[in-house]
Amino acid sequence: MKKGLFIAALLLVNVFAFSQINSVAEAKSIYIYNFSRMVQWPTESYSNGFTIGVIGANEVYSYLVPYVKNKKVGNLPITVKKFDDASGLSQCNIIYIGNSKVQHFSEIVSRLQGSNSLIITEKKGMINSGAAIDLYLDLDQSKLKFVLNTSNAEKYDLTVSKGLMDMAM
């Protein structure tokens, strides 16, 4: 019952927050943070704190940094790192891949082998290639939606909450 109330409250907060947002990138940053609260990582993946990496989504990065500034995942402060490409990629709990870098998806995924990273892309259909979440605009560009592939999350030893599964398209 408490979990159901939490999910309902989260959805209401999101509806209120989204009524005041200025851009799609800002909304995506809110989603990314909320995903961090609805996925469970193995304890050892927190050795350097909780890190969100962004590859190729400059505007999302620009909104995400101030949005998570005083927020935590569990009791861990959040660090946001910007990567230009896969070559500099380091351990991150969440990797967000923008459309401009999705052509390098295979290289990014190969660098993440053995990590506990939640892979989120902006391109619909990437869950078929290994992403756990595709966060995208619908066809008429009016609504932000996401699809989820729990099997891909499980490959990285991540546990997705039932609440997140229920909210996915």
Side-chain angles (χ1 to χ4, degrees):
M1 181 69 169
K2 286 183 182 180
K3 195 177 232 183
L5 290 174
F6 171 75
I7 293 168
L10 182 64
L11 290 173
L12 287 175
V13 168
N14 283 340
V15 167
F16 177 73
F18 292 152
S19 68
Q20 298 179 10
I21 60 171
N22 297 315
S23 74
V24 172
E26 187 175 3
K28 287 178 180 180
S29 68
I30 294 167
Y31 268 89
I32 293 166
Y33 170 70
N34 284 325
F35 293 150
S36 74
R37 298 172 48 197
M38 301 185 86
V39 173
Q40 184 176 9
W41 281 262
T43 305
E44 65 272 10
S45 66
Y46 296 124
S47 61
N48 296 322
F50 193 91
T51 306
I52 300 172
V54 179
I55 303 173
N58 296 335
E59 193 174 3
V60 171
Y61 174 81
S62 295
Y63 280 106
L64 191 57
V65 170
Y67 185 75
V68 302
K69 183 177 182 180
N70 296 314
K71 293 180 173 50
K72 295 182 178 188
V73 174
N75 62 351
L76 299 170
I78 302 169
T79 302
V80 182
K81 292 183 179 179
K82 177 85 174 93
F83 299 98
D84 294 322
D85 55 43
S87 65
L89 192 59
S90 61
Q91 173 61 38
C92 296
N93 299 90
I94 295 176
I95 300 292
Y96 184 79
I97 306 167
N99 279 334
S100 66
K101 298 295 181 176
V102 80
Q103 72 270 21
H104 303 290
F105 186 78
S106 296
E107 181 184 357
I108 294 166
V109 169
S110 70
R111 291 203 176 260
L112 296 174
Q113 294 302 318
S115 72
N116 303 112
S117 300
L118 179 69
I119 303 170
I120 305 171
T121 70
E122 290 183 330
K123 185 175 180 183
K124 187 176 180 182
M126 294 307 292
I127 62 168
N128 299 322
S129 299
I133 298 173
D134 292 342
L135 180 60
Y136 63 94
L137 282 171
D138 65 1
L139 290 176
D140 64 1
Q141 305 286 300
S142 64
K143 292 182 184 176
L144 198 54
K145 296 183 176 185
F146 72 94
V147 291
L148 172 70
N149 185 322
T150 56
S151 296
N152 289 342
E154 290 167 358
K155 290 177 188 175
Y156 293 89
D157 296 323
L158 306 176
T159 304
V160 176
S161 73
K162 182 171 178 354
L164 186 57
M165 287 186 248
D166 291 345
M167 288 187 277
M169 302 307 292

